[in-house]
Amino acid sequence: MFLSVFDLYKIGIGPSSSHTMGPMTAAARFLEELQSGDWPRPANARVSRLAVSLHGSLAFTGVGHGTDRAVILGLAGFIPTTVDPDQTDAILERVATEKRVHPAGHGEGYRFDPKADLVLDKKVPLPGHANGMAFNAFDGDDRLLLRRIYYSIGGGFVVSEEELQRLKSTSGSASGPRVPYPFRNAAEMLAMAKRSGLSIAEMKRANEEIHLSRAELDDGLDRVWGAMQGCIERGLSKEGIMPGGLKVKRRARQLHDRLQEEWRQNRPNPLLANDWLSIYAMAVNEENAAGGRVVTAPTNGAAGVVPAVMRYWLHFYPEADQNDIRTFLLTSAAVGGIIKHNASISGAEVGCQGEVGSASAMAAAGLAAVMGGTPEQIENAAEIALEHHLGMTCDPVGGLVQVPCIERNALGAVKAVTAASLAIKGDGTHFVPLDAAIETMRQTGLDMNERYKETSQGGLAVNVVEC
């Protein structure tokens, strides 16, 4: 089993990896197939109009999560990695006015009226996954020429119907390119580390360097951290009300200024580390909620945990350096890959335990690694962090990635540091294996009522509004 560090840490835009980045990517895939012409169609048939329907969680929280905007941007030819967040409003306004999309390489483009051709279907879920969407292409007489169904399965990953079936049929078996350390679960990871004498980060590096040079890998890791760092800085510099209608204020900058003042005046603060962790995480997720540039870690909704813990390490540990950042990312990605392979990182599939819980486990593992932890201590840190997020629901108020998501990232970061600290103080032996916690998360997600899985039909999403 191999999942690249750059599959888990993808640079894109907010507010949601599954509801924003995924649908935008799906639209790009649909355009690619249209352009290729490698699909059956009547002779001389020409695509004139496009239409999209969103289903399941994408329909229930699509507007709040920016799914409608993401689909339009994707059909207009933009992708999450390179789209400029500052230009999106202008692009969307142009499409709404012209009722056409003009993706590069598609001639005159296609008719597409967002009000008529983008449907949020809350009645008919698609069978493969909670985040389903159907893309349709019609000719000038409105005859259907091509229909493709995609599923956004969390963290910005998108699969077609056929790909999803292959994933399900090969679940638990080896997949992906052959690598020197193909661990599918934490037990195999620890066994391979013991046999090889390598750290988790060294094994992950060896796997990555099968298809990347060392310089390419390091450059990529540095870009990921640079994007995370930039997101923190933007979040700490901005004020105002976040979009969406809840009128939630940005707080990171104000809290940061207050902490800076305490720092300058040398005031005693026994909660200092927790305060900094919380502010860094909130800065990222406020940027995410505003549709800014973020890194999936492993998702947008949980994007603040890993950067906050990394920034905490650089802030409070004078010996920290760039190599530590790479070790942190490689180790955390190893743990994140195991979680995704054996359970899920999708809030629509297993609730927020799969998003913030996974992020906290990844961050705890990365921090334990740079603190000099053994593979056993690192696995213990990840288990502690994940165990204490089990059962957490995904219930965003108003379908927005704001309440409780922003503060939830702050607490996920605090739990990660606590978990790493506890694990480092032990010898790595512990009662609950990480694999057992991951399997428990999977089972809990299957049992969880759909109202609590990113549909905004239960929990805080209902009770806050009722109050």
Side-chain angles (χ1 to χ4, degrees), residues 18 28-29 42 64 102 114 157 196 202 260 265 270-271 284 384 417 425 435 466:
S18 60
R29 286 189 58 175
H102 298 276
F157 291 90
S196 66
E202 288 168 338
Q260 289 279 48
Q265 295 184 10
L271 298 176
V284 170
I384 295 170
V417 172
K425 289 178 174 62
D435 290 328
E466 288 179 351

Side-chain angles (χ1 to χ4, degrees), residues 7-175:
D7 289 327
L8 284 167
Y9 293 122
K10 294 191 285 287
I11 300 171
I13 63 169
S16 172
S17 50
S18 60
H19 287 55
T20 310
M21 290 174 60
M24 196 184 303
T25 300
R29 286 189 58 175
F30 188 66
L31 288 178
E32 287 176 7
E33 186 169 0
L34 282 180
Q35 189 177 37
S36 72
D38 189 21
W39 46 278
R41 56 179 167 175
N44 300 320
R46 179 174 172 273
V47 176
S48 176
R49 181 174 71 89
L50 304 181
V52 182
S53 59
L54 305 174
H55 302 261
S57 176
L58 295 181
F60 281 104
T61 60
V63 174
H65 282 55
T67 310
D68 50 346
R69 295 165 58 91
V71 168
I72 298 167
L73 290 168
L75 292 179
F78 297 91
I79 59 174
T81 311
T82 57
V83 64
D84 183 351
D86 294 331
Q87 298 299 317
T88 56
D89 286 344
I91 298 166
L92 294 167
E93 185 176 345
R94 184 167 64 246
V95 173
T97 300
E98 298 179 358
K99 298 181 174 55
R100 288 188 76 84
V101 288
H102 298 276
H106 289 255
E108 297 178 358
Y110 309 105
R111 287 188 291 123
F112 180 78
D113 181 356
K115 290 184 177 180
D117 296 322
L118 180 55
V119 177
L120 278 68
D121 189 341
K122 298 179 181 180
K123 295 182 179 180
V124 182
L126 296 178
H129 190 276
N131 291 333
M133 59 200 119
F135 287 77
N136 304 286
F138 300 88
D139 66 10
D141 296 321
D142 264 358
R143 291 180 300 178
L144 180 65
L145 299 179
L146 180 65
R147 176 179 173 85
R148 288 290 181 263
I149 292 175
Y150 299 99
Y151 296 101
S152 182
I153 59 175
F157 291 90
V158 172
V159 293
S160 66
E161 281 187 299
E162 297 77 13
E163 290 165 344
L164 183 64
Q165 291 306 313
R166 286 199 296 271
L167 280 175
K168 290 181 177 180
S169 66
T170 59
S171 178
S173 62
S175 60

